[in-house]
Amino acid sequence: MTLKMGVVGTGAIGREHIERITKRISGAEIVALSDIHQENAEQIIRDFKLDAQFFATDAELIAADVDAVIVSSWGPAHEETVLKAIEAGKYVFCEKPLATTAEGCKRIIDAEMKQGKRLLQVGFMRRYDAGYQMLKQALDAKEIGEPLMLSCQHFNPQVDENYTTDMAVVDTLIHEIDVLHWLVDDDYESIQVFYPKQTKNKLSHLKDPQIVHLVTKSGISIHAEIFVNCGYAYDIQCRVVGEDGILSLPEVSSLGIRKDAKRSENLLMDWKKRFMDAYDNEFNAFINAIEKTGSPSYPTAWDGYVAAVTADAGVKAQQSGEVEKIDLPETPDFYRI
Amino acid sequence: MTLKMGVVGTGAIGREHIERITKRISGAEIVALSDIHQENAEQIIRDFKLDAQFFATDAELIAADVDAVIVSSWGPAHEETVLKAIEAGKYVFCEKPLATTAEGCKRIIDAEMKQGKRLLQVGFMRRYDAGYQMLKQALDAKEIGEPLMLSCQHFNPQVDENYTTDMAVVDTLIHEIDVLHWLVDDDYESIQVFYPKQTKNKLSHLKDPQIVHLVTKSGISIHAEIFVNCGYAYDIQCRVVGEDGILSLPEVSSLGIRKDAKRSENLLMDWKKRFMDAYDNEFNAFINAIEKTGSPSYPTAWDGYVAAVTADAGVKAQQSGEVEKIDLPETPDFYRI
Amino acid sequence: MTLKMGVVGTGAIGREHIERITKRISGAEIVALSDIHQENAEQIIRDFKLDAQFFATDAELIAADVDAVIVSSWGPAHEETVLKAIEAGKYVFCEKPLATTAEGCKRIIDAEMKQGKRLLQVGFMRRYDAGYQMLKQALDAKEIGEPLMLSCQHFNPQVDENYTTDMAVVDTLIHEIDVLHWLVDDDYESIQVFYPKQTKNKLSHLKDPQIVHLVTKSGISIHAEIFVNCGYAYDIQCRVVGEDGILSLPEVSSLGIRKDAKRSENLLMDWKKRFMDAYDNEFNAFINAIEKTGSPSYPTAWDGYVAAVTADAGVKAQQSGEVEKIDLPETPDFYRI
Amino acid sequence: MTLKMGVVGTGAIGREHIERITKRISGAEIVALSDIHQENAEQIIRDFKLDAQFFATDAELIAADVDAVIVSSWGPAHEETVLKAIEAGKYVFCEKPLATTAEGCKRIIDAEMKQGKRLLQVGFMRRYDAGYQMLKQALDAKEIGEPLMLSCQHFNPQVDENYTTDMAVVDTLIHEIDVLHWLVDDDYESIQVFYPKQTKNKLSHLKDPQIVHLVTKSGISIHAEIFVNCGYAYDIQCRVVGEDGILSLPEVSSLGIRKDAKRSENLLMDWKKRFMDAYDNEFNAFINAIEKTGSPSYPTAWDGYVAAVTADAGVKAQQSGEVEKIDLPETPDFYRI
């Protein structure tokens, strides 16, 4: 069975997903595209020699002969397209954010539950990174007993002037928010943000670095450093202290070099290279889970909602300097997979 | 364009290639199978829901509507199937060995040159391993100047009683033989084999470990340790000393663990996991190169011939204890890619 | 010149210092001992074949022909002996704590300043650890620009039932308190303590692990994990994030081991081995600084006072759960070295 | 008891040993010096404020009130001074080489055996390096079963024009020669030298790098790379493959650095820093062993002889290109410690 997919939004990330599905992944084909810039979509059809049709609107694309819709348009447009696709009973792969507000995410959850089966997968790719998967597997196997304290680092070499203080939470930390509660199989309880000494290598409107302190319902403490002008590398780290030891994400694979009075290994400067395989894996999981179970894989719409509610509390915490509660109901059974 | 492929030999490795092409790789499909065990081939057709036809003989399969033939039968059968496919002008992906004798490889080369274009790629997958590719790239960029000395280790946890002393060269070292001359872009000049102190963990008929000393035409010295009952892991290492520094293959990616008075990272016990991505990559390269250039990628039939001649000298060196010359003509321009 | 030293308190640590000075260090000799257990002191004289005299009281020992006094008695007795020695104009090497209260430390400072020159060095040995010294040197050289965030781990395999929650600050964290403000050349501003999820491997009266958040006057944020029943090792780590990169303490030197499907290096279980060289170095510094400058080296009595004030605020923070201010006057010029 | 020591030869290394004994080590004092440059010796007496006497000849110094003689003169002068000291029944610490010929070493052995007890220790310091000691301990404990293959690297950044091809064996490899047979508790059987591709960064008269292949009596194979113009560092490595795993010397302790798109640790450029502690330890062992047992520690005169015989065969192998036998009698019981 080959899954027929339509893509709504053919900008940079949409294009990458199209290339992924066309060139590197089996089991799906791109049959429909929609974009506000028609010429953009048509260029992609030519570039990848797609046997695909252009639609002027998301509604028309959803109504066409497609099994699944990839939503990779501008963030604020996600919710509406997702809702239309769900109502039409189509599978959805939605790039983050699921919606720009927690309420929007909630509306999607309600629509999906009304359909009676899970149709949607959110594009938080870290869960499909080989390193995080090893970490998850080792934690689940209780290799270090119960996890007690996590420390993470999300460092970017540099950001441009459009990057604002709140984006440290809603764009950057959002990946840790999604992956960490999955990793320790726990829900968040509270969040606090500290501003340590600031780097000289930043624009004046921005707070950088920032330290985020998350606490889970069972009391696990998460210390996350967000530093988006660190200069030296795109460097993602995650370390879990458990009752019997410590586990850390693998370093990025690199040659051993002994040269110039140093032994060294190269780090990445470009974030795109870090999770390239994870992007492939999340689509493989989407396609295979639909084939096997009739529903896509995780992260679910509920995970998208958790991320939105936590990020909202995080932005509030950035402003208040206080410990902010994260109010989340229990995960519905519908979303337990 | 989708490459129509036929598979001759559907044992363990044939089955893996079929899964690879069907499940993980774009641009090709399996349309024909041949095997001396018909039920085996038909089971695979059912397992992977292939739209493929069974043929009783390689000749019939080659004559059918296939663009390319995967030769994954028993080693001694390779040469004949390859020659038939080349004569029919079909592309060939031939598992190692290309042929069991240097003369057989030479016959394949002659047949291919007669066709006027390269049709064949040999299944030495290491050249497609990300680590070796980083190493090649760094060497080509002269990051450590000219390479002067290499040291390699090819360790297996254990071998069974069918493994004989000569297999250390023709089955195990053969991968180093192929990848190393490519890595340093040089030809071999001589080979010598030493038997150091032997492990107690081996059967009496076997020499283990063995040390191989290869020298290239430009004088690069290669020290390779073959140890197939090392017990502790499947552990492949490669270290290149150059005029300005040292480069080493990356370690296998693994969690950092601090536990039980140790900091550690896991090694692999199963060789299949080590080069899994490399196998995918070699087929991607085969398919994409044919699409782009009309010929497959490396390693070429010439590389298969180099491996066979070098392995022959290696087996002679195992017996003589002497430095054995490796007699190879210049690489024909036809095979320079 | 050989420094004549008297030791007040010949228990475990006193005995080690005596062995150190007698067996491994040049420039000083033990000529006098005092202890409430006379037989203990006399046993040491015999064991190390010392040409040394026993004194029943610290006052008599100080009055004797000694240049310097090592105070290694029970913590609550330190202040009184130190004050007597300073009043007698003798050099003092005082084991931590300098005094059990900030007021006691202040009295020692006043006494020393009255003498017009520094006479005392406190036994915080970490500043003499080769790793911390490399870190200090690199930070002073601005190799990573300004330090912004520190994270530390102070892990012990296990503590006995006498270890109480406040000791996490006054006995364990106290070493980080001393070494970190020296490392970043800054003063503390505030301290907060969090209790993450607790380990099952602890006695019920104890909070373990604990997370301490210190902030310096310039805003540097310090995240310190204290975990005294971590089980797996005595493991001290320190990582400094600066504007241009990250520096970390070296790992403990250990063989590389590839065995049992792991590559590993051993960690220490015994804290005594970790800072053995640092203990030697602090005494070398004491002796050499006196010879060269007429005063001992750092840490000074002021550093002892800083540690006491900070630890007091830390204990308050353990109880309040709030951010507690650390009130410290400017370092007097008298103590700037 | 304080060992009274006289130093014959107060050049660079003599001066270092004097500083070592005076400033960093207990249990010995320098009471006598002899040098062909009297002013040199007298300068040292002033610099270190020694209570020591100058003697015009080694004979006079040996005849004076000294317990032990440090021989740190010019290599060719060693034998004569050593023989005089042994005949006088004095302890001797002799810098390498013990003598410049195997015959010279043999004469020293005969003289020492005639005295009826060991009096001499040779200055091969590597055996006292913490890393080699850990390796020795682990090998003796059979942590990796029987050792089968060793590979070593002895790299210097650069040598000056006085360095000749034979010095790769007699000055550089000599340290591996001494430490490796001790490490595996075995005797050498043969040696062969290969010249791989040569570096452009060397003077024309020199062979560099060189590869040495040593085999022990039990068949252990040793692959040693000597590269004295490697440019990038002073880098000593040793890796032992055993029946159950691999052990490697620890890396030099260094800060972890993440900066400029690299994670790195610094290597040493200056060889003096690499074995500084080992030099201290060898003198501590000399002094303590004499105090405890009446004889110094290892390496013994016999070890000096083994090194000389092996180096002679090595130089022959450099010239012949052949496998050269190393003819050594059994270690006399007199020298088994």
Side-chain angles (χ1 to χ4, degrees):
Chain A
M1 190 208 78
T2 298
L3 203 68
K4 283 173 279 183
M5 301 186 92
V7 179
V8 177
T10 60
I13 194 150
R15 184 186 175 96
E16 272 179 34
H17 289 334
I18 290 165
E19 180 170 9
R20 180 163 287 122
I21 286 159
T22 307
K23 295 276 181 188
R24 291 201 300 274
I25 288 186
S26 298
E29 59 182 329
I30 305 296
V31 300
L33 287 84
S34 174
D35 198 291
I36 48 170
H37 304 291
Q38 180 165 356
E39 64 284 14
N40 194 16
E42 287 176 343
Q43 183 63 45
I44 286 176
I45 291 176
R46 283 191 300 274
D47 287 353
F48 296 105
K49 297 172 188 147
L50 300 179
D51 185 13
Q53 196 179 342
F54 175 79
F55 294 93
T57 67
D58 58 353
E60 289 167 276
L61 179 144
I62 290 164
D65 183 19
V66 300
D67 302 314
V69 180
I70 296 176
V71 182
S72 49
S73 51
W74 186 45
H78 287 187
E79 182 185 347
E80 209 181 303
T81 303
V82 167
L83 286 172
K84 286 179 198 159
I86 286 177
E87 273 149 36
K90 302 293 169 89
Y91 295 114
V92 184
F93 183 95
C94 182
E95 258 311 306
K96 63 137 192 146
L98 178 55
T100 52
T101 63
E103 294 70 31
C105 294
K106 193 62 178 46
R107 282 187 289 270
I108 290 169
I109 286 169
D110 293 342
E112 194 180 30
M113 292 182 80
K114 210 168 125 193
Q115 290 288 332
K117 75 166 180 173
R118 282 191 310 98
L119 293 167
L120 183 139
Q121 182 175 325
V122 185
F124 287 124
M125 74 292 176
R126 283 214 194 162
R127 300 191 187 197
Y128 292 97
D129 172 64
Y132 279 107
Q133 293 212 328
M134 285 190 243
L135 203 45
K136 173 71 172 163
Q137 202 170 2
L139 288 171
D140 285 354
K142 303 289 174 207
E143 284 191 19
I144 54 165
E146 287 299 313
L148 308 175
M149 304 182 278
L150 274 72
S151 47
C152 305
Q153 111 176 27
H154 189 145
F155 285 18
N156 288 64
Q158 204 176 359
V159 290
D160 66 29
E161 58 186 341
N162 298 319
Y163 192 98
T164 50
T165 293
D166 61 316
M167 289 169 72
V169 168
V170 299
D171 262 41
T172 301
L173 184 72
I174 198 78
H175 287 288
E176 272 77 18
I177 289 175
D178 177 64
V179 82
L180 298 182
H181 78 95
W182 167 75
L183 210 55
V184 297
D185 199 14
D186 198 354
D187 288 319
Y188 298 121
E189 171 83 20
S190 70
I191 188 166
Q192 190 171 13
V193 179
F194 303 91
Y195 300 116
K197 190 167 180 176
Q198 299 287 290
T199 177
K200 66 174 181 297
N201 305 315
K202 66 171 194 66
L203 294 172
S204 56
H205 69 269
L206 182 64
K207 295 282 192 189
D208 189 42
Q210 302 183 29
I211 294 175
V212 180
H213 188 197
L214 279 155
V215 179
T216 71
K217 292 221 186 303
S218 77
I220 299 168
S221 168
I222 298 168
H223 171 84
E225 298 170 355
I226 308 297
F227 190 4
V228 294
N229 289 288
C230 79
Y232 77 90
Y234 178 70
D235 200 1
I236 302 300
Q237 308 228 350
C238 184
R239 164 183 165 280
V240 184
V241 177
E243 289 171 309
D244 305 320
I246 300 181
L247 295 172
S248 311
L249 269 193
E251 294 280 350
V252 167
S253 188
S254 174
L255 292 180
I257 307 171
R258 300 177 89 86
K259 197 180 157 184
D260 297 336
K262 285 194 164 20
R263 55 194 180 95
S264 67
E265 298 180 54
N266 292 325
L267 298 173
L268 298 176
M269 290 304 284
D270 182 358
W271 64 268
K272 280 184 199 153
K273 293 188 183 168
R274 176 63 182 84
F275 292 108
M276 203 145 53
D277 288 347
Y279 284 111
D280 286 2
N281 296 342
E282 69 177 355
F283 272 97
N284 266 323
F286 179 79
I287 295 163
N288 292 335
I290 287 172
E291 191 178 345
K292 276 199 199 148
T293 71
S295 279
S297 186
Y298 55 73
T300 66
W302 185 263
D303 294 314
Y305 176 60
V306 167
V309 169
T310 307
D312 282 354
V315 172
K316 201 171 156 199
Q318 284 183 314
Q319 290 156 1
S320 72
E322 301 298 317
V323 177
E324 298 294 343
K325 284 274 292 178
I326 297 167
D327 278 316
L328 275 168
E330 281 278 294
T331 307
D333 285 344
F334 183 85
Y335 284 109
R336 293 196 182 279
I337 56 171
Chain B
M1 191 207 78
T2 297
L3 203 68
K4 282 173 281 183
M5 302 185 92
V7 179
V8 176
T10 59
I13 193 149
R15 185 186 173 95
E16 271 179 34
H17 289 334
I18 291 165
E19 180 171 9
R20 181 162 287 121
I21 285 158
T22 307
K23 294 276 181 188
R24 289 202 301 275
I25 287 185
S26 298
E29 59 182 330
I30 305 296
V31 300
L33 287 85
S34 174
D35 198 290
I36 48 171
H37 304 290
Q38 179 165 356
E39 65 284 15
N40 195 15
E42 287 176 342
Q43 183 63 46
I44 286 176
I45 291 176
R46 285 192 298 275
D47 287 352
F48 297 104
K49 297 171 189 149
L50 300 180
D51 185 12
Q53 196 179 343
F54 175 79
F55 293 93
T57 65
D58 57 354
E60 289 168 276
L61 180 144
I62 289 164
D65 183 20
V66 300
D67 303 314
V69 180
I70 296 175
V71 182
S72 48
S73 51
W74 186 44
H78 287 189
E79 182 186 346
E80 210 182 301
T81 304
V82 167
L83 286 172
K84 287 179 197 157
I86 286 177
E87 274 150 35
K90 302 292 170 89
Y91 296 114
V92 184
F93 182 97
C94 181
E95 257 313 306
K96 61 138 193 146
L98 179 54
T100 52
T101 62
E103 294 69 32
C105 294
K106 193 63 178 46
R107 282 188 288 271
I108 290 169
I109 286 169
D110 292 341
E112 195 180 31
M113 291 181 80
K114 209 168 126 194
Q115 289 288 331
K117 75 165 181 175
R118 283 192 308 98
L119 293 167
L120 184 139
Q121 182 175 325
V122 186
F124 288 124
M125 74 294 177
R126 283 213 194 162
R127 300 190 186 197
Y128 292 98
D129 172 63
Y132 279 108
Q133 293 214 327
M134 285 190 244
L135 203 45
K136 173 71 171 161
Q137 202 170 3
L139 288 171
D140 285 354
K142 303 289 172 205
E143 283 191 20
I144 54 164
E146 287 298 314
L148 308 175
M149 303 183 278
L150 274 72
S151 46
C152 305
Q153 113 175 27
H154 189 144
F155 284 19
N156 287 65
Q158 205 178 357
V159 291
D160 64 30
E161 58 186 342
N162 298 319
Y163 192 98
T164 50
T165 293
D166 61 316
M167 290 168 72
V169 168
V170 299
D171 262 42
T172 301
L173 183 73
I174 197 79
H175 287 288
E176 272 77 18
I177 289 174
D178 177 63
V179 81
L180 298 182
H181 78 94
W182 165 77
L183 210 54
V184 298
D185 198 16
D186 199 354
D187 288 319
Y188 297 121
E189 171 83 20
S190 70
I191 187 166
Q192 190 171 13
V193 178
F194 304 91
Y195 301 115
K197 191 166 181 176
Q198 299 287 292
T199 178
K200 66 174 181 297
N201 305 315
K202 66 172 194 66
L203 294 172
S204 57
H205 70 269
L206 183 64
K207 296 281 192 190
D208 190 41
Q210 302 183 28
I211 294 174
V212 180
H213 187 198
L214 280 155
V215 179
T216 71
K217 292 222 188 301
S218 77
I220 299 169
S221 169
I222 297 168
H223 171 84
E225 298 170 355
I226 307 298
F227 191 4
V228 295
N229 289 288
C230 79
Y232 76 91
Y234 179 69
D235 199 1
I236 301 300
Q237 308 228 349
C238 184
R239 163 183 166 280
V240 183
V241 177
E243 290 171 309
D244 305 319
I246 299 181
L247 295 172
S248 312
L249 270 192
E251 294 281 350
V252 167
S253 188
S254 175
L255 292 180
I257 306 171
R258 300 177 88 86
K259 197 179 158 184
D260 297 337
K262 283 195 167 17
R263 55 195 179 94
S264 67
E265 299 180 54
N266 292 325
L267 299 173
L268 297 176
M269 290 304 283
D270 182 358
W271 63 269
K272 279 184 200 154
K273 293 188 182 166
R274 177 62 182 84
F275 292 108
M276 202 145 54
D277 288 347
Y279 284 111
D280 288 2
N281 295 342
E282 69 177 356
F283 273 97
N284 266 323
F286 180 78
I287 296 163
N288 291 335
I290 288 172
E291 191 179 346
K292 274 199 199 148
T293 71
S295 279
S297 185
Y298 54 74
T300 67
W302 186 261
D303 294 313
Y305 175 59
V306 167
V309 170
T310 307
D312 282 354
V315 171
K316 200 171 156 199
Q318 284 183 315
Q319 291 155 359
S320 71
E322 300 298 315
V323 177
E324 300 293 344
K325 282 275 293 176
I326 297 167
D327 277 315
L328 276 168
E330 281 278 293
T331 306
D333 285 343
F334 182 85
Y335 285 109
R336 294 197 183 279
I337 55 170
Chain C
M1 190 209 80
T2 297
L3 204 68
K4 283 173 280 182
M5 302 186 92
V7 179
V8 176
T10 60
I13 193 148
R15 184 184 175 97
E16 272 179 33
H17 288 333
I18 291 165
E19 179 170 10
R20 181 161 287 122
I21 285 159
T22 307
K23 295 275 181 189
R24 290 202 302 275
I25 288 187
S26 297
E29 59 182 328
I30 305 296
V31 300
L33 288 85
S34 173
D35 197 290
I36 47 170
H37 304 291
Q38 180 165 355
E39 64 284 17
N40 196 14
E42 287 175 344
Q43 183 63 45
I44 286 176
I45 290 176
R46 283 192 300 274
D47 288 353
F48 296 105
K49 296 174 188 144
L50 300 179
D51 184 14
Q53 196 179 342
F54 175 79
F55 294 92
T57 66
D58 58 354
E60 289 168 276
L61 180 143
I62 289 165
D65 183 20
V66 300
D67 303 314
V69 180
I70 296 175
V71 182
S72 48
S73 51
W74 187 44
H78 287 188
E79 182 186 346
E80 208 181 303
T81 304
V82 168
L83 286 172
K84 286 179 199 159
I86 286 177
E87 274 151 35
K90 302 292 170 90
Y91 296 114
V92 184
F93 183 95
C94 182
E95 259 312 308
K96 63 135 192 149
L98 178 55
T100 51
T101 63
E103 295 70 32
C105 294
K106 193 62 177 49
R107 281 188 289 270
I108 290 169
I109 287 169
D110 292 341
E112 195 180 30
M113 292 181 80
K114 210 168 126 191
Q115 289 288 332
K117 75 166 179 173
R118 283 191 310 97
L119 293 167
L120 183 139
Q121 183 175 324
V122 185
F124 287 124
M125 74 294 177
R126 283 213 194 163
R127 299 190 186 197
Y128 292 97
D129 172 64
Y132 278 107
Q133 293 214 328
M134 285 190 243
L135 203 44
K136 173 70 172 163
Q137 201 170 4
L139 288 171
D140 285 353
K142 302 290 173 206
E143 283 191 19
I144 54 165
E146 287 298 313
L148 307 175
M149 303 184 278
L150 273 73
S151 46
C152 306
Q153 112 176 26
H154 190 144
F155 285 18
N156 288 64
Q158 204 178 357
V159 290
D160 65 29
E161 59 185 341
N162 297 319
Y163 192 98
T164 51
T165 292
D166 61 316
M167 289 167 72
V169 168
V170 300
D171 262 41
T172 300
L173 184 73
I174 197 79
H175 287 289
E176 271 78 17
I177 289 174
D178 177 65
V179 82
L180 298 182
H181 78 93
W182 166 77
L183 211 54
V184 297
D185 198 15
D186 199 353
D187 289 318
Y188 297 121
E189 172 83 20
S190 70
I191 188 166
Q192 191 171 13
V193 179
F194 303 90
Y195 301 116
K197 191 165 179 176
Q198 300 288 291
T199 178
K200 66 175 182 296
N201 305 315
K202 66 170 194 68
L203 294 172
S204 57
H205 71 268
L206 182 64
K207 296 282 192 189
D208 189 41
Q210 302 183 29
I211 295 175
V212 180
H213 188 198
L214 279 156
V215 179
T216 71
K217 293 219 186 306
S218 77
I220 299 168
S221 168
I222 298 167
H223 171 84
E225 298 170 354
I226 308 297
F227 191 4
V228 294
N229 291 288
C230 79
Y232 76 91
Y234 179 70
D235 199 0
I236 301 300
Q237 307 228 350
C238 183
R239 164 183 165 280
V240 184
V241 177
E243 289 171 310
D244 305 320
I246 300 182
L247 296 172
S248 311
L249 269 192
E251 294 281 350
V252 167
S253 188
S254 174
L255 293 180
I257 307 170
R258 300 177 90 86
K259 197 180 158 184
D260 296 337
K262 283 194 166 18
R263 54 193 179 97
S264 67
E265 299 180 53
N266 292 325
L267 298 173
L268 298 176
M269 291 304 283
D270 182 359
W271 63 269
K272 280 184 199 155
K273 293 187 182 169
R274 177 62 182 84
F275 291 109
M276 201 145 53
D277 288 347
Y279 284 111
D280 287 3
N281 295 341
E282 70 178 355
F283 272 97
N284 265 323
F286 180 78
I287 295 163
N288 291 335
I290 287 172
E291 190 178 345
K292 275 199 199 147
T293 71
S295 280
S297 186
Y298 56 72
T300 66
W302 186 261
D303 294 313
Y305 175 60
V306 167
V309 170
T310 307
D312 282 355
V315 172
K316 202 170 154 199
Q318 283 183 315
Q319 291 155 0
S320 71
E322 300 298 318
V323 177
E324 299 293 342
K325 283 274 291 178
I326 297 167
D327 278 316
L328 276 167
E330 281 278 292
T331 306
D333 286 343
F334 183 85
Y335 285 108
R336 294 195 182 279
I337 54 171
Chain D
M1 190 209 79
T2 297
L3 203 68
K4 283 173 280 182
M5 302 186 92
V7 179
V8 176
T10 59
I13 193 149
R15 184 184 174 97
E16 272 179 34
H17 288 334
I18 291 165
E19 180 170 9
R20 179 163 288 121
I21 285 159
T22 307
K23 295 276 181 189
R24 291 201 300 275
I25 288 186
S26 297
E29 60 183 328
I30 305 298
V31 300
L33 288 85
S34 173
D35 198 289
I36 48 171
H37 304 290
Q38 179 165 356
E39 64 283 18
N40 195 14
E42 288 176 343
Q43 183 62 46
I44 287 177
I45 291 176
R46 283 191 301 274
D47 287 353
F48 296 105
K49 296 172 189 148
L50 301 179
D51 185 14
Q53 196 179 343
F54 174 80
F55 293 93
T57 66
D58 58 354
E60 289 167 276
L61 180 144
I62 290 165
D65 183 20
V66 301
D67 303 313
V69 180
I70 297 174
V71 181
S72 48
S73 50
W74 186 44
H78 288 189
E79 181 187 346
E80 210 183 301
T81 303
V82 166
L83 286 172
K84 286 178 198 160
I86 286 177
E87 275 149 35
K90 301 294 170 90
Y91 295 115
V92 183
F93 182 96
C94 181
E95 258 313 306
K96 63 138 190 147
L98 178 56
T100 52
T101 63
E103 295 69 32
C105 295
K106 192 63 176 48
R107 282 189 288 270
I108 290 170
I109 286 168
D110 292 341
E112 195 180 29
M113 292 181 80
K114 209 169 125 194
Q115 289 288 331
K117 76 166 181 174
R118 283 192 310 96
L119 293 168
L120 183 139
Q121 183 175 326
V122 185
F124 287 124
M125 73 293 176
R126 284 213 193 162
R127 300 190 187 197
Y128 292 98
D129 173 63
Y132 279 108
Q133 294 214 326
M134 285 189 243
L135 203 45
K136 173 71 172 161
Q137 202 170 3
L139 288 170
D140 285 355
K142 303 289 173 207
E143 284 190 18
I144 54 165
E146 287 298 313
L148 308 175
M149 303 183 279
L150 274 73
S151 46
C152 305
Q153 112 176 25
H154 190 144
F155 284 19
N156 288 64
Q158 204 178 359
V159 290
D160 65 29
E161 58 185 342
N162 298 319
Y163 191 100
T164 50
T165 293
D166 61 315
M167 289 168 71
V169 168
V170 300
D171 262 41
T172 301
L173 183 73
I174 198 79
H175 288 288
E176 272 77 18
I177 290 175
D178 176 65
V179 82
L180 298 182
H181 78 94
W182 166 76
L183 211 54
V184 298
D185 199 14
D186 199 354
D187 288 319
Y188 298 121
E189 172 83 20
S190 70
I191 187 165
Q192 189 171 14
V193 179
F194 304 91
Y195 301 115
K197 191 166 180 177
Q198 299 288 291
T199 178
K200 66 175 182 296
N201 305 315
K202 66 171 194 67
L203 294 171
S204 57
H205 70 269
L206 184 63
K207 296 281 192 188
D208 189 41
Q210 302 183 30
I211 294 175
V212 180
H213 187 198
L214 279 156
V215 178
T216 71
K217 292 219 187 303
S218 77
I220 299 168
S221 168
I222 298 167
H223 171 85
E225 298 170 355
I226 308 297
F227 191 3
V228 294
N229 290 288
C230 79
Y232 76 91
Y234 179 71
D235 199 1
I236 301 300
Q237 308 228 349
C238 184
R239 163 183 166 280
V240 184
V241 177
E243 290 172 308
D244 305 319
I246 299 182
L247 296 172
S248 312
L249 269 192
E251 293 280 350
V252 167
S253 187
S254 175
L255 292 180
I257 307 171
R258 300 177 89 85
K259 196 180 158 184
D260 296 337
K262 284 193 165 19
R263 56 194 178 94
S264 68
E265 299 180 53
N266 292 325
L267 298 173
L268 297 176
M269 292 303 284
D270 182 358
W271 64 269
K272 280 184 198 154
K273 293 188 183 167
R274 177 60 183 84
F275 291 108
M276 203 146 53
D277 289 346
Y279 284 111
D280 287 2
N281 295 342
E282 69 177 356
F283 273 96
N284 266 323
F286 180 79
I287 295 163
N288 292 335
I290 288 172
E291 191 178 346
K292 275 200 198 147
T293 71
S295 279
S297 186
Y298 54 74
T300 65
W302 186 262
D303 295 313
Y305 175 59
V306 167
V309 169
T310 308
D312 281 355
V315 171
K316 202 171 155 199
Q318 284 182 315
Q319 291 156 0
S320 71
E322 300 298 316
V323 176
E324 299 293 343
K325 283 273 294 178
I326 297 167
D327 278 315
L328 276 168
E330 281 278 291
T331 306
D333 285 344
F334 183 85
Y335 285 109
R336 293 196 184 279
I337 55 171

